[in-house]
Amino acid sequence: LVHGVAVLIIACPCALSLATPIAVLSGLSAATKRKILFRSGVQFETLESVTDLVFDKTGTLTEGSPEVKNCVWFSLKEESAALSLVENSNHPISGAVRRYLNKSGAVVNPAQDLDSFEELAGKGVSMKISSQTFYGGSMAFMEESGVLISAQQKQQILELRQQRPALFFFAQKNDLHAVAELTAVFSIHDPVRIQSRKTIQHLQKMGLSTHLLTGDHPAVAASVAQECGFSENNVHSSVDPEGKAEFIEALQKEDRIVIMVGDGINDAPALARADIGIAMGSSADKALEISDIVLLNNNPGDIAEALRISRKTYSLIRQNLALSVIYNIVAIPVAVAGWVIPLVAALSMSLSSLLVVLNSLRMNYRNNA
C-alpha cells in the first residue's frame, strides 16, 4: 500500500499540466511589459510557425499623420464644399485635407444642407448638396465617377507625381452638366517611420517573406517600398479592401502562415482573414476589435519582438514538457521498486512542479534584465 501511494503521488501530472499554461502566462507577461497586447495565448503557437508578413502602408509603415504640402486649384476655389466633404470622413488622407483647409481659413457654409453622403472604402467619398455633387478620393475613384480630366490637368498631375506623394482629387458636378469636372488636387506626404526599414530588414533576416499591400498609387507604393527595403516582386498597389483579403487568402492557399499588419478600417477584412492580425495602438476601432495583437507603442519594430517572445514561449513549453516526462520516467520506476516513501514522493512531485514554474519565469527575468 505504501509503495502504491508513493507511485500515485509521483505519477500525479502536476508538472505536465503546468507546462503549457505557466509558459504562456510568462510570455503574455513579458509581451505586456513591452506594451504588446495579445488577445490570448493561442497566438504564440501560430506566430512560431509564421512564414509571411503583409504590411499596409498608411499608419503602419508611415507615421499616419499625413500633411498637405501643395494644392492646385483648376477652377474657382470651392474650399467650403471641399471641407464639408472631408469632414464626414475618418480616413487619414481626408484628415490631412481637412486640417489644410482649416488652416487656410475655410469654413463650412451653415446654410448648406447635406442631402447625401457616401464613403467607399479604399476609394473615396461623395456628397450631394442641392443641385451639386462633389467627389473626393483617388484617381481610380475619379475615373469610376466619370470625372472629366483635361490633357493639361493630366500633365500637371504627372508633374506632382514626380515627388511621389499621395494625391487626393476633388471634383464637382452640377445637375445641369453631363459630367463632373476636376476642381483641385491635393499633394499629401506621410513620412515613413524611422523604425520601418530596420524592422523589414530584421524580419527578412529571420527568413520571413515581407509584402507591401496598399491602396495607394504605384508611384507612392514604390517610393515607400524602396525606402523600407521591400522586394519589387512583393509590392502590391491600388488594392481595395476586398483585394487585400483576397491576397491574404491566396497566400494561405499556398500553405503559408500569414500575419497582416494594418491600422485602418480599409484593413479590417484582411486583418480578419489573416492567421494573425496585428494593429497599431492608434488604429481605428474596427481594426483594434478584429486584431489578435495590438502594438501600443505604434512601433513596427515590436513585431519582431512579438515573434521573439512567441518563439521563446514555445521553446519553454517544449522544455517544460521534456522536464515533466523525464521526471516521470526516472521517478516512477524508483517508486515501484520501493525506494521512496510517500513523503519523499510528495516532495519530489512538488519539486518537479516548482522546476517547471521556475523555468517558465526565466523569460521574465531575462526581459527585465
Side-chain angles (χ1 to χ4, degrees), residues 176-231:
L176 300 177
H177 297 85
V179 295
E181 296 181 351
L182 185 64
T183 304
V185 57
F186 296 83
S187 175
I188 300 169
H189 292 260
D190 188 8
V192 172
R193 295 183 190 272
I194 298 175
Q195 311 93 336
S196 293
R197 183 175 181 83
K198 185 177 180 180
T199 298
I200 299 304
Q201 291 177 336
H202 189 181
L203 294 171
Q204 290 171 348
K205 288 179 180 178
M206 293 172 69
L208 302 172
S209 296
T210 55
H211 309 261
L212 175 60
L213 197 63
T214 176
D216 281 326
H217 189 274
V220 180
S223 176
V224 173
Q226 183 178 9
E227 192 169 348
C228 292
F230 286 94
S231 167

Coordinates of all heavy atoms in Angstrom, one line a residue, residues 176-231:
L176 N -26.9 70.4 -64.1 CA -27.1 71.0 -65.4 C -26.1 70.5 -66.4 O -26.2 70.6 -67.6 CB -27.1 72.5 -65.4 CG -28.2 73.2 -64.5 CD1 -28.0 74.7 -64.5 CD2 -29.6 72.8 -65.0
H177 N -25.0 69.9 -65.9 CA -23.9 69.4 -66.7 C -23.9 67.9 -66.8 O -24.3 67.2 -65.8 CB -22.5 69.9 -66.2 CG -22.4 71.4 -66.3 ND1 -22.8 72.2 -65.2 CD2 -21.8 72.2 -67.2 CE1 -22.6 73.5 -65.5 NE2 -22.0 73.5 -66.7
A178 N -23.4 67.4 -67.9 CA -23.4 65.9 -68.1 C -22.4 65.2 -67.3 O -22.6 64.0 -66.9 CB -23.3 65.6 -69.6
V179 N -21.2 65.8 -67.2 CA -20.1 65.1 -66.5 C -19.5 66.0 -65.4 O -19.7 67.2 -65.3 CB -18.9 64.8 -67.5 CG1 -19.4 63.8 -68.5 CG2 -18.4 66.1 -68.1
A180 N -18.9 65.4 -64.4 CA -18.2 66.1 -63.3 C -16.8 66.6 -63.8 O -16.2 66.0 -64.7 CB -18.0 65.2 -62.2
E181 N -16.4 67.7 -63.3 CA -15.1 68.3 -63.6 C -14.2 68.3 -62.5 O -14.6 68.5 -61.3 CB -15.3 69.7 -64.1 CG -16.2 69.8 -65.4 CD -16.3 71.2 -65.9 OE1 -15.9 72.1 -65.1 OE2 -16.9 71.4 -67.0
L182 N -12.9 68.0 -62.8 CA -11.9 68.1 -61.7 C -11.6 69.5 -61.3 O -11.4 70.4 -62.1 CB -10.6 67.5 -62.3 CG -9.4 67.3 -61.2 CD1 -9.8 66.3 -60.1 CD2 -8.2 66.8 -61.9
T183 N -11.7 69.7 -60.0 CA -11.6 71.1 -59.4 C -10.3 71.3 -58.8 O -9.7 72.4 -58.9 CB -12.7 71.3 -58.3 OG1 -14.0 71.0 -58.9 CG2 -12.7 72.7 -57.8
A184 N -9.7 70.3 -58.1 CA -8.5 70.5 -57.3 C -7.8 69.2 -57.1 O -8.4 68.1 -57.1 CB -8.7 71.3 -56.0
V185 N -6.5 69.3 -56.8 CA -5.7 68.1 -56.4 C -4.8 68.5 -55.3 O -4.1 69.5 -55.3 CB -4.9 67.5 -57.6 CG1 -4.0 68.5 -58.2 CG2 -4.2 66.3 -57.1
F186 N -4.8 67.7 -54.2 CA -4.0 67.9 -53.0 C -2.9 67.0 -53.0 O -3.1 65.8 -53.1 CB -4.9 67.8 -51.8 CG -6.0 68.8 -51.7 CD1 -7.2 68.5 -52.3 CD2 -5.9 69.9 -50.9 CE1 -8.3 69.4 -52.2 CE2 -6.9 70.8 -50.8 CZ -8.1 70.5 -51.4
S187 N -1.7 67.5 -52.9 CA -0.4 66.7 -52.8 C -0.1 66.4 -51.3 O 0.1 67.4 -50.5 CB 0.7 67.4 -53.5 OG 1.9 66.7 -53.3
I188 N -0.1 65.2 -50.9 CA 0.0 64.8 -49.5 C 1.2 63.9 -49.2 O 1.4 62.9 -49.9 CB -1.3 64.1 -49.0 CG1 -2.5 65.0 -49.3 CG2 -1.2 63.6 -47.6 CD1 -3.8 64.3 -49.1
H189 N 1.9 64.3 -48.2 CA 3.1 63.5 -47.8 C 2.9 62.9 -46.4 O 2.5 63.6 -45.5 CB 4.4 64.4 -47.8 CG 4.7 64.8 -49.2 ND1 5.7 64.2 -50.0 CD2 4.2 65.8 -50.0 CE1 5.8 64.8 -51.1 NE2 4.9 65.8 -51.2
D190 N 3.3 61.7 -46.3 CA 3.2 61.0 -45.0 C 4.6 60.3 -44.7 O 4.9 59.3 -45.4 CB 2.1 59.9 -45.0 CG 1.9 59.3 -43.6 OD1 2.5 59.8 -42.6 OD2 1.1 58.4 -43.5
P191 N 5.4 60.8 -43.9 CA 6.8 60.3 -43.7 C 6.8 58.9 -43.2 O 6.0 58.5 -42.4 CB 7.5 61.3 -42.7 CG 6.3 61.9 -42.0 CD 5.2 62.0 -43.0
V192 N 7.8 58.1 -43.7 CA 8.0 56.7 -43.2 C 8.5 56.7 -41.8 O 9.4 57.6 -41.4 CB 8.9 56.0 -44.2 CG1 9.3 54.6 -43.6 CG2 8.3 55.9 -45.6
R193 N 8.0 55.8 -41.0 CA 8.5 55.7 -39.6 C 10.0 55.4 -39.6 O 10.5 54.7 -40.5 CB 7.8 54.6 -38.8 CG 6.3 54.9 -38.6 CD 5.7 53.8 -37.8 NE 4.3 53.9 -37.7 CZ 3.6 54.6 -36.8 NH1 4.2 55.2 -35.9 NH2 2.3 54.6 -36.9
I194 N 10.7 55.9 -38.6 CA 12.2 55.7 -38.5 C 12.5 54.2 -38.4 O 13.5 53.7 -38.9 CB 12.7 56.5 -37.3 CG1 12.5 58.0 -37.5 CG2 14.2 56.1 -37.1 CD1 12.9 58.8 -36.3
Q195 N 11.6 53.5 -37.7 CA 11.9 52.1 -37.4 C 11.5 51.1 -38.5 O 11.9 49.9 -38.5 CB 11.1 51.6 -36.1 CG 11.2 52.5 -35.0 CD 10.1 53.6 -34.9 OE1 9.5 53.9 -35.9 NE2 9.8 54.1 -33.7
S196 N 10.8 51.6 -39.6 CA 10.2 50.7 -40.6 C 11.3 49.9 -41.3 O 11.2 48.7 -41.5 CB 9.4 51.5 -41.5 OG 8.2 52.0 -40.9
R197 N 12.3 50.6 -41.9 CA 13.3 49.9 -42.7 C 14.1 48.9 -41.8 O 14.3 47.7 -42.3 CB 14.3 50.9 -43.2 CG 15.4 50.3 -44.1 CD 16.3 51.3 -44.8 NE 17.2 50.6 -45.7 CZ 17.0 50.2 -46.9 NH1 15.8 50.4 -47.5 NH2 17.9 49.6 -47.6
K198 N 14.5 49.3 -40.6 CA 15.2 48.3 -39.8 C 14.3 47.1 -39.5 O 14.8 46.0 -39.4 CB 15.6 49.0 -38.5 CG 16.4 48.2 -37.5 CD 16.9 48.9 -36.3 CE 17.7 48.1 -35.4 NZ 18.1 48.9 -34.2
T199 N 13.0 47.3 -39.3 CA 12.1 46.2 -39.0 C 12.0 45.3 -40.1 O 12.1 44.1 -40.0 CB 10.7 46.8 -38.6 OG1 10.8 47.6 -37.5 CG2 9.7 45.7 -38.4
I200 N 11.8 45.8 -41.3 CA 11.7 45.0 -42.5 C 12.9 44.1 -42.7 O 12.9 42.9 -43.0 CB 11.3 45.8 -43.8 CG1 10.0 46.5 -43.6 CG2 11.3 44.9 -45.0 CD1 8.8 45.7 -43.3
Q201 N 14.1 44.8 -42.6 CA 15.4 44.1 -42.8 C 15.5 43.0 -41.7 O 16.0 41.9 -42.0 CB 16.5 45.1 -42.7 CG 16.6 46.0 -43.9 CD 17.7 47.0 -43.7 OE1 18.2 47.3 -42.6 NE2 18.2 47.6 -44.8
H202 N 15.1 43.3 -40.5 CA 15.2 42.3 -39.4 C 14.3 41.1 -39.7 O 14.8 39.9 -39.5 CB 14.8 42.9 -38.1 CG 15.1 42.1 -36.9 ND1 14.8 42.4 -35.6 CD2 15.6 40.8 -36.8 CE1 15.1 41.5 -34.8 NE2 15.6 40.5 -35.4
L203 N 13.1 41.3 -40.1 CA 12.2 40.2 -40.4 C 12.7 39.4 -41.6 O 12.5 38.1 -41.6 CB 10.8 40.8 -40.7 CG 10.1 41.5 -39.6 CD1 8.8 42.2 -40.1 CD2 9.7 40.5 -38.5
Q204 N 13.3 40.0 -42.6 CA 13.8 39.3 -43.7 C 15.0 38.4 -43.3 O 15.2 37.3 -43.8 CB 14.2 40.3 -44.8 CG 13.0 40.9 -45.5 CD 13.4 42.1 -46.4 OE1 14.6 42.5 -46.4 NE2 12.5 42.6 -47.2
K205 N 15.8 38.9 -42.4 CA 16.9 38.1 -41.9 C 16.5 36.9 -41.1 O 17.2 35.9 -41.0 CB 17.8 39.0 -41.0 CG 18.7 40.0 -41.8 CD 19.5 40.9 -40.9 CE 20.3 41.9 -41.7 NZ 21.2 42.7 -40.8
M206 N 15.2 37.0 -40.5 CA 14.7 35.9 -39.8 C 14.1 34.8 -40.7 O 13.5 33.8 -40.3 CB 13.5 36.4 -38.9 CG 14.0 37.3 -37.7 SD 12.7 38.1 -36.8 CE 12.0 36.6 -36.0
G207 N 14.2 35.1 -42.1 CA 13.7 34.1 -43.0 C 12.3 34.3 -43.4 O 11.7 33.4 -44.0
L208 N 11.7 35.4 -43.1 CA 10.3 35.6 -43.4 C 10.1 36.5 -44.7 O 10.9 37.3 -45.0 CB 9.6 36.4 -42.2 CG 9.7 35.7 -40.9 CD1 9.2 36.6 -39.7 CD2 8.9 34.4 -40.9
S209 N 9.0 36.2 -45.4 CA 8.7 37.0 -46.6 C 7.9 38.2 -46.2 O 6.9 38.0 -45.4 CB 7.9 36.1 -47.6 OG 8.7 35.0 -48.0
T210 N 8.3 39.3 -46.7 CA 7.5 40.6 -46.4 C 6.9 41.1 -47.6 O 7.5 41.2 -48.7 CB 8.5 41.6 -45.8 OG1 9.6 41.9 -46.7 CG2 9.0 41.1 -44.4
H211 N 5.6 41.6 -47.5 CA 4.9 42.1 -48.6 C 4.3 43.5 -48.2 O 3.9 43.7 -47.1 CB 3.7 41.2 -48.9 CG 4.1 39.8 -49.1 ND1 4.3 39.2 -50.4 CD2 4.3 38.8 -48.2 CE1 4.6 37.9 -50.2 NE2 4.6 37.7 -48.9
L212 N 4.3 44.4 -49.2 CA 3.6 45.7 -49.0 C 2.3 45.7 -49.8 O 2.3 45.4 -51.0 CB 4.5 46.8 -49.5 CG 3.9 48.2 -49.5 CD1 3.5 48.6 -48.1 CD2 4.9 49.3 -50.1
L213 N 1.2 45.9 -49.1 CA -0.1 45.9 -49.7 C -0.8 47.2 -49.4 O -1.2 47.5 -48.3 CB -0.9 44.7 -49.1 CG -2.1 44.2 -49.8 CD1 -1.7 43.6 -51.2 CD2 -2.8 43.1 -49.0
T214 N -1.1 48.0 -50.4 CA -1.6 49.3 -50.2 C -2.6 49.7 -51.3 O -2.5 49.2 -52.4 CB -0.5 50.4 -50.1 OG1 -1.1 51.7 -50.0 CG2 0.4 50.4 -51.4
G215 N -3.5 50.6 -50.9 CA -4.4 51.1 -51.9 C -3.9 52.3 -52.6 O -4.6 52.8 -53.5
D216 N -2.7 52.8 -52.3 CA -2.1 54.0 -52.9 C -1.7 53.7 -54.4 O -1.5 52.6 -54.8 CB -1.0 54.5 -52.1 CG -1.5 55.3 -50.9 OD1 -2.5 55.9 -51.0 OD2 -0.8 55.2 -49.8
H217 N -1.4 54.8 -55.0 CA -0.9 54.8 -56.4 C 0.5 54.0 -56.5 O 1.3 54.0 -55.5 CB -0.7 56.2 -56.9 CG -0.4 56.3 -58.3 ND1 0.9 56.2 -58.8 CD2 -1.2 56.5 -59.4 CE1 0.9 56.4 -60.2 NE2 -0.4 56.5 -60.5
P218 N 0.8 53.3 -57.6 CA 2.0 52.6 -57.7 C 3.3 53.4 -57.4 O 4.2 52.9 -56.8 CB 2.0 52.1 -59.1 CG 0.5 52.0 -59.5 CD -0.1 53.1 -58.7
A219 N 3.3 54.7 -57.8 CA 4.5 55.5 -57.6 C 4.7 55.7 -56.1 O 5.8 55.7 -55.6 CB 4.3 56.9 -58.3
V220 N 3.6 55.9 -55.3 CA 3.8 56.1 -53.9 C 4.2 54.8 -53.2 O 5.1 54.8 -52.4 CB 2.4 56.5 -53.3 CG1 2.5 56.7 -51.8 CG2 1.9 57.8 -53.9
A221 N 3.6 53.7 -53.6 CA 4.0 52.4 -53.1 C 5.4 52.1 -53.4 O 6.2 51.6 -52.5 CB 3.1 51.3 -53.7
A222 N 5.9 52.4 -54.6 CA 7.3 52.1 -55.0 C 8.3 52.9 -54.1 O 9.3 52.4 -53.7 CB 7.5 52.4 -56.5
S223 N 7.9 54.2 -53.9 CA 8.8 55.0 -53.0 C 8.9 54.5 -51.6 O 10.0 54.4 -51.1 CB 8.2 56.4 -53.0 OG 8.9 57.3 -52.2
V224 N 7.8 54.1 -51.0 CA 7.8 53.6 -49.7 C 8.6 52.2 -49.6 O 9.4 51.9 -48.7 CB 6.4 53.4 -49.1 CG1 6.4 52.7 -47.7 CG2 5.8 54.8 -49.0
A225 N 8.3 51.4 -50.6 CA 9.0 50.1 -50.7 C 10.5 50.2 -50.8 O 11.2 49.5 -50.2 CB 8.4 49.3 -51.9
Q226 N 10.9 51.2 -51.6 CA 12.4 51.4 -51.8 C 13.0 51.9 -50.5 O 14.1 51.4 -50.1 CB 12.6 52.4 -52.9 CG 14.1 52.7 -53.2 CD 14.3 53.6 -54.3 OE1 13.3 54.3 -54.8 NE2 15.5 53.8 -54.8
E227 N 12.3 52.7 -49.8 CA 12.8 53.3 -48.5 C 12.8 52.3 -47.4 O 13.7 52.3 -46.5 CB 11.9 54.5 -48.1 CG 12.5 55.3 -47.0 CD 11.8 56.6 -46.8 OE1 11.0 57.0 -47.6 OE2 12.0 57.3 -45.7
C228 N 11.9 51.3 -47.4 CA 11.8 50.3 -46.4 C 12.6 49.0 -46.7 O 12.8 48.2 -45.8 CB 10.3 50.0 -46.1 SG 9.4 51.3 -45.4
G229 N 12.8 48.8 -48.0 CA 13.6 47.6 -48.4 C 12.8 46.4 -48.8 O 13.3 45.3 -48.7
F230 N 11.6 46.6 -49.3 CA 10.8 45.5 -49.8 C 11.3 45.1 -51.2 O 11.8 45.9 -52.0 CB 9.3 46.0 -50.0 CG 8.6 46.1 -48.7 CD1 8.5 47.3 -48.0 CD2 7.9 45.0 -48.2 CE1 7.8 47.4 -46.8 CE2 7.2 45.0 -47.0 CZ 7.1 46.3 -46.3
S231 N 11.1 43.8 -51.5 CA 11.4 43.4 -52.9 C 10.4 43.9 -53.8 O 9.2 44.0 -53.5 CB 11.5 41.8 -52.9 OG 11.5 41.3 -54.2

